[in-house]
Amino acid sequence: RMVKDSGMELCCGGLVGSRRHIVGIDVELTTTATPEGARTGGAILRRTVSRNARLLTLGSLLICGHQLCEAMVPVLIGLVVGRAIETGDVGQLALWVVALGLLFVVLTTCYQSGARFLMRAIASEGHQLRVELSVKILHPWRLRTRLRSGELLSIASTDADETSYLLDYVPR
């Protein structure tokens, strides 16, 4: 695939179509040959989700547990009022306050663990994408562009971080 921009040609593994907007420049994408390993944006996003499926599943389940515990707080408060405060039983009050405390421990633990799994997936994917892009940019047959390697690496690093944050939207 070749990118033509004002007479400049760039080899890329990007999307093929009539016109695309890349880094503030409108470019025309035409197919000349399909390089091995070239991927579309959708394929990259699907791969991002599939290679982090385990962490996403664990994180999502724990975040669901957090939401369930959040929903149970008013129910448990109702039980405290109904079974301990209305009856005036101090033993029941102590029992239900401990139960409420345990619910908050579970709620907090679910959120912290779920967020940790999701952030681990995001950081890992961002790193993997940056490594892949760095290899392509620094390869001897690299992209031919007027941008220097450092500029391309900076743009690629930002794009890798933005792509990896897709994983933050999956469990929501």
Side-chain angles (χ1 to χ4, degrees), residues 43-77:
I44 291 171
L45 295 177
R46 281 188 296 281
R47 184 190 64 182
T48 296
V49 171
S50 66
R51 77 175 161 190
N52 292 288
R54 185 182 66 82
L55 291 173
L56 280 176
T57 302
L58 290 172
S60 296
L61 289 174
L62 287 167
I63 294 296
C64 285
H66 165 76
Q67 291 298 318
L68 181 65
C69 288
E70 285 277 358
M72 292 304 298
V73 169
V75 173
L76 196 56
I77 289 174

Side-chain angles (χ1 to χ4, degrees), residues 56 60 118 122 162-172:
L56 280 176
S60 296
L118 294 173
I122 290 168
E162 292 295 323
T163 302
S164 68
Y165 267 93
L166 161 82
L167 298 174
D168 191 37
Y169 302 121
V170 171
R172 293 177 195 256

Side-chain angles (χ1 to χ4, degrees), residues 95-117:
L95 175 75
W96 287 106
V97 167
V98 168
L100 188 61
L102 289 174
L103 179 65
F104 274 99
V105 167
V106 172
L107 182 146
T108 304
T109 303
C110 282
Y111 180 79
Q112 288 177 343
S113 300
R116 184 173 293 123
F117 280 120

